Amino acid sequence: MAPAALTPLSLSALALLTESPMHPYEMYQLLIKRFKNEIVKVRPGSLYHAVDRLARDGFAAVVGTGRDGSRPEKTTYEITPAGRAALEARVSELLETPANEYPEFELAISEAHNLPRATVIQLLSVRLTRLREQLSVVRDLISQKSAQGALKLFYLHGSHREALLTTEIAWIEQLVADLTSHDIVWLDDPDFDRAEHVAAEAHAEYSLASAPTP
Protein backbone atom coordinates (compact mmCIF):
# COMPACT_ATOMS: atom_id res chain seq x y z
CA MET A 1 0.00 0.00 0.00
CA ALA A 2 1.36 3.44 -0.94
CA PRO A 3 2.07 5.88 1.94
CA ALA A 4 -0.59 8.49 2.60
CA ALA A 5 0.00 12.05 1.45
CA LEU A 6 1.69 14.31 3.98
CA THR A 7 -0.73 16.31 6.08
CA PRO A 8 0.27 19.89 7.08
CA LEU A 9 1.25 18.68 10.56
CA SER A 10 3.21 15.66 9.35
CA LEU A 11 4.98 17.84 6.80
CA SER A 12 5.99 20.28 9.55
CA ALA A 13 7.20 17.45 11.78
CA LEU A 14 9.17 15.84 8.97
CA ALA A 15 10.78 19.18 8.14
CA LEU A 16 12.06 19.46 11.72
CA LEU A 17 13.71 16.07 11.42
CA THR A 18 15.86 17.40 8.58
CA GLU A 19 17.59 19.56 11.19
CA SER A 20 18.39 16.77 13.68
CA PRO A 21 16.83 13.71 15.32
CA MET A 22 14.09 14.76 17.77
CA HIS A 23 11.40 13.38 20.00
CA PRO A 24 7.81 14.58 19.42
CA TYR A 25 7.64 16.87 22.46
CA GLU A 26 10.82 18.61 21.31
CA MET A 27 9.16 19.06 17.91
CA TYR A 28 6.09 20.51 19.60
CA GLN A 29 8.15 23.06 21.53
CA LEU A 30 10.03 24.12 18.42
CA LEU A 31 6.87 24.48 16.33
CA ILE A 32 5.38 26.76 18.99
CA LYS A 33 8.62 28.72 19.31
CA ARG A 34 8.61 29.38 15.57
CA PHE A 35 4.86 30.20 15.77
CA LYS A 36 4.08 27.49 13.21
CA ASN A 37 0.89 27.01 15.21
CA GLU A 38 -0.37 30.09 13.34
CA ILE A 39 -0.51 28.09 10.12
CA VAL A 40 -0.79 24.48 11.30
CA LYS A 41 -3.06 23.08 14.01
CA VAL A 42 -0.50 21.86 16.55
CA ARG A 43 -1.49 19.75 19.56
CA PRO A 44 0.79 17.30 21.43
CA GLY A 45 -1.55 14.34 20.92
CA SER A 46 -2.04 14.91 17.21
CA LEU A 47 1.69 15.50 16.75
CA TYR A 48 2.57 12.18 18.41
CA HIS A 49 0.05 10.48 16.11
CA ALA A 50 1.52 12.23 13.05
CA VAL A 51 5.07 11.16 13.93
CA ASP A 52 3.94 7.59 14.55
CA ARG A 53 2.32 7.61 11.11
CA LEU A 54 5.53 8.93 9.54
CA ALA A 55 7.39 6.00 11.06
CA ARG A 56 4.80 3.48 9.81
CA ASP A 57 5.03 4.97 6.30
CA GLY A 58 8.83 4.69 6.32
CA PHE A 59 9.40 8.46 6.33
CA ALA A 60 10.92 8.48 9.83
CA ALA A 61 12.75 5.90 11.90
CA VAL A 62 13.35 5.39 15.62
CA VAL A 63 16.97 6.05 16.62
CA GLY A 64 16.70 5.76 20.37
CA THR A 65 14.67 5.98 23.52
CA GLY A 66 15.45 7.67 26.80
CA ARG A 67 13.97 8.72 30.09
CA ASP A 68 14.51 11.96 32.01
CA GLY A 69 14.13 11.05 35.66
CA SER A 70 10.63 9.84 36.43
CA ARG A 71 9.17 11.32 33.26
CA PRO A 72 7.69 9.08 30.53
CA GLU A 73 10.09 7.47 28.12
CA LYS A 74 10.89 9.57 25.05
CA THR A 75 11.36 8.10 21.60
CA THR A 76 13.67 9.96 19.24
CA TYR A 77 13.14 9.85 15.49
CA GLU A 78 15.22 10.71 12.43
CA ILE A 79 14.19 11.33 8.84
CA THR A 80 14.76 8.57 6.28
CA PRO A 81 15.77 9.00 2.63
CA ALA A 82 12.16 8.23 1.67
CA GLY A 83 10.98 10.88 4.11
CA ARG A 84 13.31 13.49 2.69
CA ALA A 85 12.15 12.70 -0.84
CA ALA A 86 8.49 12.91 0.23
CA LEU A 87 9.10 16.22 1.99
CA GLU A 88 10.86 17.77 -0.98
CA ALA A 89 8.19 16.55 -3.39
CA ARG A 90 5.31 17.91 -1.29
CA VAL A 91 6.91 21.30 -0.61
CA SER A 92 7.75 21.64 -4.32
CA GLU A 93 4.16 20.85 -5.25
CA LEU A 94 2.75 23.38 -2.78
CA LEU A 95 5.14 26.12 -3.92
CA GLU A 96 4.53 25.54 -7.61
CA THR A 97 0.81 24.88 -7.88
CA PRO A 98 -1.85 27.43 -6.83
CA ALA A 99 -4.76 25.72 -5.15
CA ASN A 100 -8.34 26.80 -4.60
CA GLU A 101 -8.64 26.40 -0.84
CA TYR A 102 -12.29 27.53 -0.75
CA PRO A 103 -11.78 30.48 1.60
CA GLU A 104 -14.81 31.20 3.77
CA PHE A 105 -14.36 34.99 3.70
CA GLU A 106 -14.50 34.97 -0.10
CA LEU A 107 -17.76 33.04 0.14
CA ALA A 108 -19.13 35.56 2.65
CA ILE A 109 -18.19 38.46 0.38
CA SER A 110 -19.91 36.80 -2.57
CA GLU A 111 -23.15 36.62 -0.54
CA ALA A 112 -22.82 39.86 1.43
CA HIS A 113 -25.44 41.57 -0.74
CA ASN A 114 -28.07 39.51 1.08
CA LEU A 115 -27.50 41.68 4.16
CA PRO A 116 -28.42 45.36 4.46
CA ARG A 117 -25.73 47.82 3.39
CA ALA A 118 -25.44 49.29 6.91
CA THR A 119 -25.05 45.83 8.44
CA VAL A 120 -22.26 44.88 6.03
CA ILE A 121 -20.43 48.13 6.78
CA GLN A 122 -20.73 47.50 10.53
CA LEU A 123 -19.57 43.87 10.27
CA LEU A 124 -16.63 44.73 8.05
CA SER A 125 -15.63 47.50 10.44
CA VAL A 126 -15.47 44.93 13.26
CA ARG A 127 -13.42 42.64 11.03
CA LEU A 128 -11.02 45.49 10.29
CA THR A 129 -10.43 46.02 14.01
CA ARG A 130 -9.64 42.34 14.48
CA LEU A 131 -7.40 42.18 11.42
CA ARG A 132 -5.42 45.20 12.61
CA GLU A 133 -4.95 43.50 15.98
CA GLN A 134 -3.71 40.36 14.23
CA LEU A 135 -1.34 42.41 12.09
CA SER A 136 0.07 44.09 15.19
CA VAL A 137 0.71 40.70 16.82
CA VAL A 138 2.40 39.34 13.69
CA ARG A 139 4.63 42.39 13.38
CA ASP A 140 5.58 42.13 17.06
CA LEU A 141 6.51 38.46 16.59
CA ILE A 142 8.60 39.27 13.52
CA SER A 143 10.38 42.02 15.44
CA GLN A 144 11.04 39.66 18.34
CA LYS A 145 12.49 36.99 16.07
CA SER A 146 14.68 39.55 14.34
CA ALA A 147 15.91 40.95 17.67
CA GLN A 148 16.69 37.42 18.87
CA GLY A 149 18.85 36.87 15.80
CA ALA A 150 16.63 34.12 14.41
CA LEU A 151 17.26 33.23 10.79
CA LYS A 152 14.59 34.78 8.57
CA LEU A 153 14.20 31.52 6.67
CA PHE A 154 12.49 30.07 9.77
CA TYR A 155 9.79 32.74 9.88
CA LEU A 156 9.16 33.60 6.24
CA HIS A 157 5.56 32.52 6.86
CA GLY A 158 5.31 35.46 9.26
CA SER A 159 6.27 37.87 6.49
CA HIS A 160 3.74 36.20 4.21
CA ARG A 161 1.00 36.52 6.85
CA GLU A 162 1.92 40.20 7.30
CA ALA A 163 1.57 40.79 3.55
CA LEU A 164 -1.79 38.99 3.37
CA LEU A 165 -3.18 40.90 6.35
CA THR A 166 -1.95 44.23 4.97
CA THR A 167 -3.57 43.54 1.61
CA GLU A 168 -6.86 42.35 3.10
CA ILE A 169 -7.06 45.37 5.40
CA ALA A 170 -6.50 47.76 2.49
CA TRP A 171 -9.10 45.96 0.35
CA ILE A 172 -11.76 46.00 3.07
CA GLU A 173 -11.06 49.65 3.89
CA GLN A 174 -11.75 50.53 0.24
CA LEU A 175 -14.86 48.35 0.18
CA VAL A 176 -16.23 50.03 3.30
CA ALA A 177 -15.52 53.43 1.76
CA ASP A 178 -17.30 52.44 -1.46
CA LEU A 179 -20.30 51.09 0.44
CA THR A 180 -20.47 54.17 2.63
CA SER A 181 -20.37 56.53 -0.36
CA HIS A 182 -22.87 54.34 -2.28
CA ASP A 183 -20.38 53.85 -5.10
CA ILE A 184 -21.51 50.20 -5.08
CA VAL A 185 -25.14 49.41 -5.90
CA TRP A 186 -26.81 47.33 -3.14
CA LEU A 187 -29.94 45.22 -2.95
CA ASP A 188 -31.58 47.36 -0.27
CA ASP A 189 -31.16 50.59 -2.26
CA PRO A 190 -34.62 52.17 -2.73
CA ASP A 191 -34.16 52.47 -6.48
CA PHE A 192 -32.68 49.01 -7.00
CA ASP A 193 -34.68 47.11 -9.64
CA ARG A 194 -33.91 43.47 -8.89
CA ALA A 195 -35.74 42.11 -11.93
CA GLU A 196 -33.80 44.39 -14.27
CA HIS A 197 -30.44 43.48 -12.77
CA VAL A 198 -31.19 39.74 -12.62
CA ALA A 199 -32.06 39.81 -16.33
CA ALA A 200 -28.80 41.56 -17.12
CA GLU A 201 -26.87 39.16 -14.89
CA ALA A 202 -28.20 36.20 -16.85
CA HIS A 203 -26.14 37.36 -19.82
CA ALA A 204 -22.94 37.96 -17.85
CA GLU A 205 -20.29 35.33 -17.27
CA TYR A 206 -17.97 35.33 -14.31
CA SER A 207 -14.99 33.03 -13.98
CA LEU A 208 -12.52 33.33 -11.12
CA ALA A 209 -11.12 29.86 -11.71
CA SER A 210 -7.35 29.53 -11.80
CA ALA A 211 -5.64 29.25 -15.14
CA PRO A 212 -5.82 25.75 -16.61
CA THR A 213 -2.83 23.55 -15.98
CA PRO A 214 -0.89 22.85 -19.17
Side-chain angles (χ1 to χ4, degrees), residues 34-36 38-39 135 137-143 145-146 150-167:
R34 293 178 180 172
F35 61 100
K36 288 290 184 73
E38 292 290 324
I39 54 176
L135 181 58
V137 170
V138 169
R139 285 176 170 167
D140 285 346
L141 286 169
I142 291 173
S143 296
K145 294 299 179 184
S146 178
L151 296 176
K152 190 170 183 178
L153 65 92
F154 288 127
Y155 58 94
L156 280 177
H157 56 290
S159 297
H160 181 250
R161 175 64 63 84
E162 179 185 21
L164 291 178
L165 287 169
T166 300
T167 300

Side-chain angles (χ1 to χ4, degrees), residues 46-203:
S46 55
L47 180 58
Y48 276 85
H49 178 76
V51 174
D52 183 61
R53 183 60 185 265
L54 289 172
R56 293 203 312 270
D57 286 343
F59 295 154
V62 175
V63 291
T65 57
R67 189 185 302 274
D68 185 5
S70 61
R71 295 184 177 183
E73 189 176 73
K74 294 178 179 178
T75 302
T76 300
Y77 298 83
E78 68 178 0
I79 193 169
T80 65
R84 188 175 292 275
L87 172 68
E88 292 177 357
R90 182 58 176 152
V91 172
S92 297
E93 179 185 15
L94 291 172
L95 286 174
E96 180 182 56
T97 310
N100 184 357
E101 297 173 346
Y102 302 102
E104 292 183 348
F105 179 61
E106 192 167 324
L107 172 61
I109 284 296
S110 74
E111 301 297 346
H113 56 267
N114 291 292
L115 299 178
R117 179 191 296 270
T119 299
V120 174
I121 292 172
Q122 189 270 332
L123 293 172
L124 290 177
S125 296
V126 172
R127 185 182 183 91
L128 278 173
T129 297
R130 293 173 176 172
L131 288 174
R132 289 173 184 137
E133 291 171 352
Q134 290 179 22
L135 181 58
S136 178
V137 170
V138 169
R139 285 176 170 167
D140 285 346
L141 286 169
I142 291 173
S143 296
Q144 289 173 20
K145 294 299 179 184
S146 178
Q148 292 167 0
L151 296 176
K152 190 170 183 178
L153 65 92
F154 288 127
Y155 58 94
L156 280 177
H157 56 290
S159 297
H160 181 250
R161 175 64 63 84
E162 179 185 21
L164 291 178
L165 287 169
T166 300
T167 300
E168 183 174 342
I169 287 170
W171 187 86
I172 295 177
E173 286 175 338
Q174 185 60 56
L175 176 57
V176 169
D178 290 343
L179 287 170
T180 301
S181 64
H182 287 244
D183 284 349
I184 296 178
V185 172
W186 213 247
L187 287 187
D188 65 348
D189 291 347
D191 58 348
F192 184 86
D193 187 335
R194 188 181 185 98
E196 176 185 340
H197 285 278
V198 168
E201 192 74 8
H203 299 286

